[in-house]
Amino acid sequence: MIAAGAGTAAGLAGGFWWWNRPRLEHAGLPPVRDPAFPNPLPLPGSDGMFGVLDVAGTVAIAAKSARHAMLPGKPARMLAYEVQHEGRKLLNPVLRVRAGATLRANLWNTLDEATIIHWHGLKVDANNDGHPHYAIAGGRTYDYQYTVLNRAATYWYHPHAHGTTGKQLYLGLASLFIVEDDEELALQRALDLRVGVSDIPLMIQDKDFDVSGTPAYAPDAEQRASGYFGREVLINLAPRPYFDAATRIYRFRILNGSNARIYRLAFRSGERLLDYRVIATDGGLLDRPYRTKEVFLSSGERVEVLLDLRAAREGDTVWLTSRAFDPMHQETGPGAHPGHGAAPDPQPQAGEHGMAHHGAAPAPQSAAQSGSLPDGAAVDLLRINVAAKVRYDRPVPATLAEIVPLDAKQGASRKFLLQREQGQWRINGLTFRMMETPIVVRRGATEIWEIRNSERSMPHPMHIHGFQFQMLSRSGSPEQQRQLAVNAQGLASADLGWKDTVLVWPGETVRLALDFTHPFNGDQVYLFHCHNLEHSDEGMMINIKVLA
Ligand SMILES: [Cu+2]
């Protein structure tokens, strides 16, 4: 196993399977490219797409139409956030900020429709949150100014105008917002982690394209109900990417930036699933690394993992893959759509079927989506070529951060039911009303939220603005989730630490502890919504007012 191993012993004993595999090539020759994964993974550099911008002060961001080749050789129109900074032009910059810094961001909307930026995961006041109420028309600007109160983590930013969030994000508007603090910098030093080199952001999105290479977003009524699924899965806007790695430990900061698709993330070598370590979730580092072979990651969620390639050999290949799972589209009753479940894992027959590497999928969900990659289908995401042997003898820290459990026992308990009624996804029977605030919370209150997803439903990734929460338990979970539990409360490693988005499966109940303490004066209005963006655009979203 290629586990994030405990030093040399694990490397030798656990690495046994590596030695018995035939060498793919001789050391020193260039790596063999899998023709089905021919595109270099775009890595954050100093400019261009996903360039890293260290923000200390003011940043001017234009939401605009840009030209970029997502499909190789097919430059086409997309939407992007553009920043011009000291002679550099960055598109969808990875913004990197020190905890405690004060940020001024000026958004200029050059689109021909309204937009606004939501800073996903950040503890900011309502004026700075990017609630759709603050969306600005084309030609207008919006000034943000806030202090970064969050701890270090991989947050992100994306549009949030009501009714068009799914479309604008799908057309390209999204990137990461990395917060660093002393704890985080200590980890970077301990493991020699550098963003874009050994600390690799992976924004996973599925898209469809028209013949010109332009992302095509045109959900019909059924796709608005289920979510919009594309047939190509891209990482950092590149389809079928590869990454040349060395024999060392890598950190992957994985964001599910897809509109609706859930991934069951695993690393595999051949058919063998590899151990890796979960070190952080939405709101930053966990108390310690957790060893696992897979995690579920739903729209909006982040997970950070360590992959230990020390026992690998030059020429070896490791795949980041999404394993088949039951997508549980049970809107018409439990067990509906039996054709969806348990698709076979992808066979690593590289190059044999070209585009059809997605072809191991089960039957399409519907006539409307035929030809697409069905929800829950197995799909390879990233080919990792072990291309260089290096010396690397840094141990994985046994502890990462202190997570103080929220004491919510005295707090009020609030129940939420997710279900489809009268042709719409609803939260406690409600759909979005811009000016109504059905949930009212007192600032400083600690509450327990119990979110139950009905049986006749589908998975909903539920996101709250303005606050991070701690998960207390999962119950009624499907087996594919239950088997990942690391504690008696049914929580998986990806449920630990601080979170802002939680996947709730049909029939499942999750309990969260929330602390509504914040330093902002006056009433503040935030959102609680499904991060399946077709669901939220259709109104699966309610306001929360936090009273001063
Ligand atoms: Cu939903």
Side-chain angles (χ1 to χ4, degrees):
M1 88 192 142
I2 191 172
T8 316
L12 290 175
F16 181 72
W17 64 277
W18 288 105
W19 320 131
N20 285 335
R21 297 182 58 235
R23 295 294 297 269
L24 297 180
E25 61 181 276
H26 298 292
L29 293 177
V32 173
R33 300 279 174 238
D34 183 333
F37 277 69
N39 304 310
L41 175 72
L43 296 170
S46 58
D47 61 5
M49 187 62 76
F50 302 117
V52 178
L53 185 66
D54 287 301
V55 185
T58 303
V59 56
I61 303 173
K64 61 185 295 184
S65 170
R67 202 166 166 79
H68 177 75
M70 289 193 220
L71 301 184
K74 287 198 169 180
R77 286 278 155 208
M78 63 173 290
L79 301 184
Y81 293 118
E82 183 184 286
V83 172
Q84 311 258 10
H85 186 80
E86 292 173 355
R88 295 184 282 153
K89 181 170 137 180
L90 304 100
L91 291 171
N92 288 340
V94 172
L95 301 178
R96 188 164 56 183
V97 186
R98 275 295 297 218
T102 295
L103 185 99
R104 289 162 180 266
N106 175 261
L107 170 66
W108 177 29
N109 179 11
T110 77
L111 310 179
D112 56 11
E113 62 183 24
T115 195
I116 194 74
I117 291 177
H118 167 53
W119 311 92
H120 185 126
L122 292 190
K123 299 174 187 177
V124 292
D125 60 339
N127 282 326
N128 285 295
D129 178 62
H131 185 287
H133 180 58
Y134 295 93
I136 49 168
R140 306 292 293 269
T141 62
Y142 193 91
D143 287 317
Y144 297 88
Q145 179 174 346
Y146 57 85
T147 298
V148 176
L149 303 174
N150 292 63
R151 63 198 290 259
T154 307
Y155 306 99
W156 64 303
Y157 62 103
H158 64 75
H160 217 308
H162 187 49
T164 55
T165 297
K167 181 184 74 174
Q168 292 182 2
L169 202 145
Y170 191 95
L171 295 181
L173 290 172
S175 190
L176 300 184
F177 189 101
I178 294 176
V179 175
E180 295 181 334
D181 59 15
D182 291 343
E183 220 163 34
E184 162 62 25
L185 294 176
L187 179 70
Q188 291 180 16
R189 281 191 298 272
L191 291 175
D192 177 36
L193 299 176
R194 279 175 295 151
V195 169
V197 179
S198 47
D199 181 334
I200 312 292
L202 302 176
M203 181 171 72
I204 308 178
Q205 298 173 309
D206 59 327
K207 297 185 194 297
D208 275 338
F209 296 89
D210 67 17
V211 289
S212 73
T214 306
Y217 185 79
D220 60 22
E222 186 181 338
Q223 289 162 328
R224 286 197 299 272
S226 67
Y228 198 58
F229 295 89
R231 77 195 77 189
E232 276 291 346
V233 181
L234 301 90
I235 301 187
N236 300 345
L237 297 178
R240 285 166 283 150
Y242 70 84
F243 171 66
D244 286 338
T247 52
R248 52 159 293 155
I249 292 175
Y250 286 88
R251 174 201 221 164
F252 293 104
R253 300 177 186 253
I254 310 176
L255 158 67
N256 184 346
S258 307
N259 281 38
R261 189 177 294 279
I262 297 166
Y263 302 94
R264 184 185 191 178
L265 298 173
F267 291 92
R268 66 175 181 86
S269 175
E271 292 308 292
R272 181 176 174 131
L273 296 186
L274 310 180
D275 279 1
Y276 60 97
R277 282 181 166 144
V278 175
I279 59 165
T281 51
D282 300 339
L285 292 173
L286 305 182
D287 57 339
R288 64 175 176 85
Y290 287 79
R291 194 176 287 236
T292 190
K293 283 189 164 60
E294 61 181 40
V295 299
F296 281 106
L297 196 70
S298 62
S299 306
E301 285 187 295
R302 289 83 68 206
V303 68
E304 299 182 23
V305 306
L306 297 181
L307 178 68
D308 188 347
L309 293 173
R310 282 177 293 182
R313 300 177 109 184
E314 283 178 270
D316 282 328
T317 301
V318 172
W319 292 87
L320 172 62
T321 194
S322 180
R323 304 185 66 212
F325 63 94
D326 181 352
M328 301 188 77
H329 287 258
Q330 299 177 172
E331 299 92 313
T332 53
H337 305 292
H340 289 179
D345 271 277
Q347 298 301 306
Q349 292 159 351
E352 205 173 301
H353 18 220
M355 285 290 283
H357 77 288
H358 293 157
Q365 295 178 36
S366 68
Q369 296 201 329
S370 64
S372 72
L373 177 68
D375 194 11
V379 57
D380 284 329
L381 305 173
L382 173 68
R383 179 186 164 112
I384 300 169
N385 300 312
V386 181
K389 185 92 191 155
V390 295
R391 267 185 63 91
Y392 183 94
D393 49 16
R394 294 161 184 251
V396 175
T399 60
L400 296 168
E402 189 186 7
I403 305 286
V404 179
L406 278 178
D407 181 8
K409 289 187 192 68
Q410 308 304 321
S413 177
R414 233 179 255 275
K415 288 186 190 321
F416 296 90
L417 175 65
L418 314 178
Q419 66 183 153
R420 190 165 179 84
E421 271 176 357
Q422 298 165 293
Q424 279 195 283
W425 291 111
R426 292 164 188 270
I427 304 170
N428 284 352
L430 302 171
T431 57
F432 187 57
R433 298 280 178 273
M434 189 73 83
M435 304 311 288
E436 291 178 14
T437 53
I439 306 298
V440 179
V441 175
R442 196 160 291 282
R443 173 180 165 190
T446 305
E447 297 199 352
I448 293 177
W449 284 18
E450 185 177 299
I451 308 170
R452 182 162 71 85
N453 194 353
S454 60
E455 201 75 39
R456 288 169 67 113
S457 188
M458 60 172 284
H460 297 291
M462 301 304 296
H463 171 49
I464 183 168
H465 287 212
F467 299 90
Q468 296 273 326
F469 53 79
Q470 290 178 354
M471 288 183 67
L472 298 173
S473 65
R474 283 184 185 274
S475 56
S477 309
E479 176 58 24
Q480 59 193 12
Q481 175 69 51
R482 196 165 52 232
Q483 51 136 357
L484 300 179
V486 296
N487 63 23
Q489 289 71 46
L491 299 180
S493 52
D495 295 329
L496 304 177
W498 290 96
K499 297 276 295 166
D500 54 55
T501 308
V502 54
L503 173 59
V504 192
W505 297 95
E508 196 180 34
T509 300
V510 301
R511 290 168 67 250
L512 320 173
L514 293 120
D515 175 0
F516 287 96
T517 301
H518 67 191
F520 310 120
N521 295 316
D523 296 350
Q524 307 291 329
V525 174
Y526 298 105
L527 284 169
F528 178 51
H529 69 87
C530 183
H531 218 284
N532 177 314
L533 298 177
E534 284 67 45
H535 293 184
S536 55
D537 277 342
E538 291 284 297
M540 192 179 183
M541 180 156 77
I542 54 176
N543 282 323
I544 300 165
K545 182 187 281 186
V546 179
L547 297 176

